[in-house]
Amino acid sequence: PRGSSGMDIGQLYRRWGFRGRQGYEFGITIVGIIETGLERSRISKHNRRIMNEPRVYKNSPAVLVVIVVLFLVLIGGIVFSVGIEEVTFILPIAAFGLFIFGLIFVANSAKVVITDEDITAQNLFGSRTLRWSEIHRVSGRGYEIKLHNYDDDVTVHPSSGLPGYEEVIDIIGRKRPDLFSPQEFSEFRRGIFPFVMIAFVILLILGAMLGIVFSILNSSPDTPIASLMPLAIFMFIVVVIGGMGLSIPRMVSLEGNSLYLKYLFSEKTLRTDEIKYIQLSYTQSRNGKHYYVALHLTSGKQIRLSGLGISMPIAYLVLKNWHQGSMHGQSANQQQNNVAPNWSDNTWR
């Protein structure tokens, strides 16, 4: 048999000074190692070629077709119901509907293209591209993230409604982890508005409950028990909304290997070794995707973070960098502690 270089195996092991069966087996082993290395090299080049291919994130064309069909059906139904003579009276409504349709169509026609060198965001009005090295800072609100260059004249804004948006965020974090430093974003504060709204809804429901109680007291003593059902329903709603308000962290702060969750009336501390992993996830509803940061604990529990004073993607990447950095630091310290001391050096004593 011959190896990849075309040299007979017998020639190989005779050149290396081996004789007999032992030399032949040694030659077979060496040639196998060489061929395995060449095969791995070919696989590695193939994988690199695949990674260099652009990754495209966009909605299916069927979504755009459905949007257009629904809009035409809606306009046709309105015109048919009011008659062609009265169509001038619905022009303002039609103009408003056309505006809303345009916004939805533009949002669903967005596309993001990612390569190893740059990221591009496209829509009907054009495209913007930034090389990974050109990104200077990030910003955003809600579920959005914006990438800015040094001169701040080019901004790439991936749409949060795209399929695979979580993967886009992960790629941004891997390409530029320096933009999501836990030292720079060490504290996330939730605004007071959500708590004010919760308190307003609770007070509104309590007022309705008091009205029901007074109506029952002023009615005849033979009031059936079924009339108390609205009161029980209102009480259940108050308990649920109040529990939601108390379970929402008011502030999240990072300090060393600890994450502090501050609620309205309590505070909780989590160490990095208590968190298994951090994930950007979402819930699907009729209004679209609602993103949140999920802290998966080693105990099997999950803590959801949402509505913070910073965009969800930025908060997620900062918390992920903090967790990975702290875990790597702990692993490095453990490796150093496991190293045997140098007995010729007295500094370790």
Side-chain angles (χ1 to χ4, degrees):
R2 294 181 177 272
S4 301
S5 61
M7 183 178 294
D8 186 88
I9 291 179
Q11 297 176 2
L12 283 175
Y13 73 74
R14 281 195 297 271
R15 173 177 293 184
W16 291 328
F18 291 94
R19 295 292 185 271
R21 183 68 181 176
Q22 181 182 8
Y24 183 81
E25 292 178 351
F26 180 77
I28 289 289
T29 303
I30 293 299
V31 171
I33 292 174
I34 294 174
E35 291 180 342
T36 302
L38 291 174
E39 181 65 22
R40 288 182 178 177
S41 177
R42 285 193 293 269
I43 294 174
S44 177
K45 290 180 180 179
H46 176 70
N47 291 338
R48 285 198 299 268
R49 188 164 55 251
I50 293 176
M51 289 298 296
N52 288 331
E53 294 179 357
R55 297 186 181 185
V56 181
Y57 302 85
K58 62 179 181 178
N59 287 298
S60 171
V63 176
L64 302 179
V65 173
V66 170
I67 294 174
V68 173
V69 170
L70 289 177
F71 177 75
L72 294 178
V73 170
L74 179 62
I75 294 298
I78 294 176
V79 172
F80 180 78
S81 61
V82 301
I84 194 66
E85 297 82 4
E86 306 294 335
V87 72
T88 55
F89 294 100
I90 63 170
L91 285 179
I93 300 177
F96 179 75
L98 183 61
F99 175 73
I100 298 298
F101 162 76
L103 292 179
I104 297 175
F105 191 85
V106 169
N108 284 274
S109 64
K111 180 170 66 173
V112 171
V113 181
I114 294 179
T115 67
D116 283 346
E117 291 77 25
D118 53 42
I119 177 172
T120 301
Q122 300 178 5
N123 56 30
L124 292 178
F125 302 107
S127 64
R128 293 193 172 189
T129 302
L130 277 177
R131 298 182 65 86
W132 295 113
S133 59
E134 294 175 340
I135 302 175
H136 177 60
R137 67 180 184 91
V138 293
S139 65
R141 289 180 177 274
Y143 308 144
E144 309 295 334
I145 185 171
K146 295 181 180 180
L147 312 176
H148 305 261
N149 66 342
Y150 286 88
D151 297 329
D152 226 16
D153 58 346
V154 178
T155 303
V156 172
H157 177 200
S159 173
S160 61
L162 290 174
Y165 181 67
E166 313 92 88
E167 184 176 343
V168 173
I169 299 302
D170 277 323
I171 293 175
I172 293 173
R174 289 198 303 268
K175 290 293 185 179
R176 292 298 305 272
D178 56 297
L179 298 174
F180 308 97
S181 170
Q183 287 73 34
E184 182 179 356
F185 301 95
S186 60
E187 188 175 280
F188 314 137
R189 288 182 177 270
R190 178 187 291 271
I192 196 66
F193 180 75
F195 299 102
V196 172
M197 288 301 300
I198 291 175
F200 175 77
V201 173
I202 291 177
L203 291 176
L204 190 64
I205 296 176
L206 288 176
M209 291 173 57
L210 289 176
I212 294 175
V213 170
F214 282 127
S215 64
I216 293 175
L217 293 177
N218 294 331
S219 62
S220 61
D222 297 332
T223 302
I225 300 179
S227 61
L228 299 177
M229 287 300 297
L231 187 63
I233 293 174
F234 282 141
M235 179 64 71
F236 176 76
I237 295 175
V238 168
V239 171
V240 170
I241 296 178
M244 290 174 55
L246 294 176
S247 63
I248 298 175
R250 181 177 56 85
M251 186 177 70
V252 178
S253 60
L254 303 173
E255 185 176 339
N257 294 335
S258 300
L259 184 148
Y260 299 94
L261 300 174
K262 298 182 179 180
Y263 300 86
L264 282 178
F265 303 108
S266 63
E267 180 176 333
K268 186 174 184 178
T269 303
L270 293 174
R271 300 188 310 274
T272 51
D273 56 358
E274 295 179 290
I275 302 175
K276 189 175 182 180
Y277 63 94
I278 300 175
Q279 181 183 22
L280 180 64
S281 188
Y282 65 90
T283 56
Q284 186 74 46
S285 69
R286 291 180 297 178
N287 298 324
K289 295 179 179 180
H290 301 277
Y291 288 92
Y292 62 90
V293 178
L295 306 179
H296 296 269
L297 308 183
T298 54
S299 61
K301 297 181 180 179
Q302 181 188 113
I303 298 177
R304 294 188 178 186
L305 305 178
S306 62
L308 301 174
I310 192 172
S311 79
M312 283 292 99
I314 296 178
Y316 159 67
L317 292 177
V318 170
L319 291 172
K320 186 177 179 181
N321 282 350
W322 164 80
H323 183 252
Q324 292 179 346
S326 299
M327 294 300 290
H328 290 165
Q330 291 180 4
S331 299
N333 291 335
Q334 290 177 359
Q335 291 178 1
Q336 291 178 0
N337 293 334
N338 291 334
V339 174
N342 183 0
W343 298 104
S344 63
D345 185 7
N346 295 326
T347 58
W348 68 274
R349 297 180 185 274

